[in-house]
Amino acid sequence: MSAFITFEGGDGCGKSSQSRALLQHLQRERVPALLTREPGGTALGESISRWLKWHKETELSAAGELLLFSASRNQLVNEVIAPALKRGETVICDRFYDSTLAYQGYGRGLDLDIIKQLNDLAAEGLKPTFTILLDIPADQGLARKNAASRDRFEKEELAFHEQVRQGYLQLARNEPQRFLVVDALLPKKDIAAIIWTRVTKLLSP
Ligand code: TMP
């Protein structure tokens, strides 16, 4: 069975390296799989991502930010994720629409119901089968990021990142069947093992 697996978590939680590790494990087991990411994953998405993360001259409103993430997501779903799922591949995505609820909703304070509607539109109704939340205290996640090369989000105040973390934990409580919450402070190989145990269960017929 193919699945759509998403990785979520605050900045510095280690989800990029865990999503790569999961892809490699699936490939070793000869499961057809693809890894992509948000924002990005397409030419349009990578360009939007650069604006969102690095553009210093333009002051972006919270709503503008939300719409740009949504545009990037819609392109990724149509160009990459939906076709791969249709081919029977398992898709791993480093961030998906829960990031928008956590960052633009709980972090920036935009209306959660509006975000949910936009998420639905941008994702063409597609929902992750399974979501891994790598939970880390905000200060410890940020401490893993080099202060000199922080992007627009990483430069936000600690209180913003704490709201994002609490938002993620609330999302996981709302949908305990879909979310696996893993302590991101555990050793990398232990995290990978916990994830693999759940993924094998998910993929077994
Ligand atoms: P990353 O490539 O390091 O994960 O950075 C992406 C940043 O964008 C990260 O700080 C989270 C943020 N983000 C949002 O605010 N909303 C979203 O919908 C997504 C996908 C990411």
Side-chain angles (χ1 to χ4, degrees), residues 50-77:
R50 277 193 295 281
W51 267 82
L52 283 164
K53 287 166 75 172
W54 301 111
H55 213 273
K56 293 195 185 90
E57 292 79 35
T58 308
E59 190 71 26
L60 260 184
S61 69
E65 192 178 275
L66 167 67
L67 293 167
L68 285 173
F69 277 116
S70 302
S72 170
R73 174 163 312 129
N74 187 252
Q75 190 62 27
L76 184 68
V77 167

Side-chain angles (χ1 to χ4, degrees), residues 8-12 15-16 37-40 49 52-53 65-66 68-70 72-73 94-104 108 119 145 151-154 160-161 164 168:
E8 295 284 355
D11 293 272
K15 64 187 171 36
S16 301
R37 64 170 185 182
E38 272 207 20
S49 173
L52 283 164
K53 287 166 75 172
E65 192 178 275
L66 167 67
L68 285 173
F69 277 116
S70 302
S72 170
R73 174 163 312 129
D94 180 349
R95 296 196 182 281
F96 196 59
Y97 62 31
D98 295 301
S99 285
T100 315
L101 286 161
Y103 281 79
Q104 280 64 51
R108 299 270 191 243
N119 278 352
K145 297 278 169 181
D151 66 29
R152 220 166 53 81
F153 295 93
E154 290 157 359
F160 170 84
H161 289 280
V164 169
Y168 268 131

Side-chain angles (χ1 to χ4, degrees), residues 87-132:
R87 290 194 299 270
E89 291 173 31
T90 287
V91 176
I92 306 167
C93 198
D94 180 349
R95 296 196 182 281
F96 196 59
Y97 62 31
D98 295 301
S99 285
T100 315
L101 286 161
Y103 281 79
Q104 280 64 51
Y106 290 93
R108 299 270 191 243
L110 292 179
D111 187 278
L112 292 174
D113 287 327
I114 293 177
I115 297 178
K116 280 180 196 157
Q117 286 186 27
L118 253 181
N119 278 352
D120 215 36
L121 179 74
E124 306 275 358
L126 182 70
K127 288 187 168 56
T129 324
F130 177 54
T131 298
I132 297 139

Side-chain angles (χ1 to χ4, degrees):
M1 191 195 102
S2 67
F4 177 33
I5 300 170
T6 57
F7 277 81
E8 295 284 355
D11 293 272
C13 69
K15 64 187 171 36
S16 301
S17 77
Q18 287 298 335
S19 52
R20 278 195 301 272
L22 177 60
L23 175 74
Q24 284 163 5
H25 208 149
L26 287 168
Q27 288 173 335
R28 277 201 302 278
E29 299 293 322
R30 304 199 179 285
V31 177
L34 175 151
L35 169 63
T36 187
R37 64 170 185 182
E38 272 207 20
T42 64
L44 174 66
E46 291 299 330
S47 176
I48 289 176
S49 173
R50 277 193 295 281
W51 267 82
L52 283 164
K53 287 166 75 172
W54 301 111
H55 213 273
K56 293 195 185 90
E57 292 79 35
T58 308
E59 190 71 26
L60 260 184
S61 69
E65 192 178 275
L66 167 67
L67 293 167
L68 285 173
F69 277 116
S70 302
S72 170
R73 174 163 312 129
N74 187 252
Q75 190 62 27
L76 184 68
V77 167
N78 282 304
E79 198 177 313
V80 178
I81 300 177
L85 290 171
K86 218 168 158 191
R87 290 194 299 270
E89 291 173 31
T90 287
V91 176
I92 306 167
C93 198
D94 180 349
R95 296 196 182 281
F96 196 59
Y97 62 31
D98 295 301
S99 285
T100 315
L101 286 161
Y103 281 79
Q104 280 64 51
Y106 290 93
R108 299 270 191 243
L110 292 179
D111 187 278
L112 292 174
D113 287 327
I114 293 177
I115 297 178
K116 280 180 196 157
Q117 286 186 27
L118 253 181
N119 278 352
D120 215 36
L121 179 74
E124 306 275 358
L126 182 70
K127 288 187 168 56
T129 324
F130 177 54
T131 298
I132 297 139
L133 170 59
L134 295 179
D135 176 53
I136 190 163
D139 55 341
Q140 298 195 51
L142 288 173
R144 292 174 171 182
K145 297 278 169 181
N146 182 341
S149 57
R150 288 188 181 175
D151 66 29
R152 220 166 53 81
F153 295 93
E154 290 157 359
K155 279 187 186 148
E156 286 289 340
E157 288 172 8
L158 187 58
F160 170 84
H161 289 280
E162 272 162 4
Q163 280 163 8
V164 169
R165 181 189 185 202
Q166 293 310 321
Y168 268 131
L169 291 171
Q170 185 58 51
L171 294 173
R173 280 194 293 272
N174 294 348
E175 285 184 81
Q177 318 278 51
R178 174 162 71 92
F179 275 88
L180 170 70
V181 183
V182 184
D183 179 353
L185 295 176
L186 289 171
K188 273 187 186 179
K189 66 172 180 23
D190 295 357
I191 296 175
I194 293 169
I195 293 171
W196 184 247
T197 303
R198 278 295 289 273
V199 169
T200 38
K201 267 192 206 149
L202 181 79
L203 295 180
S204 56

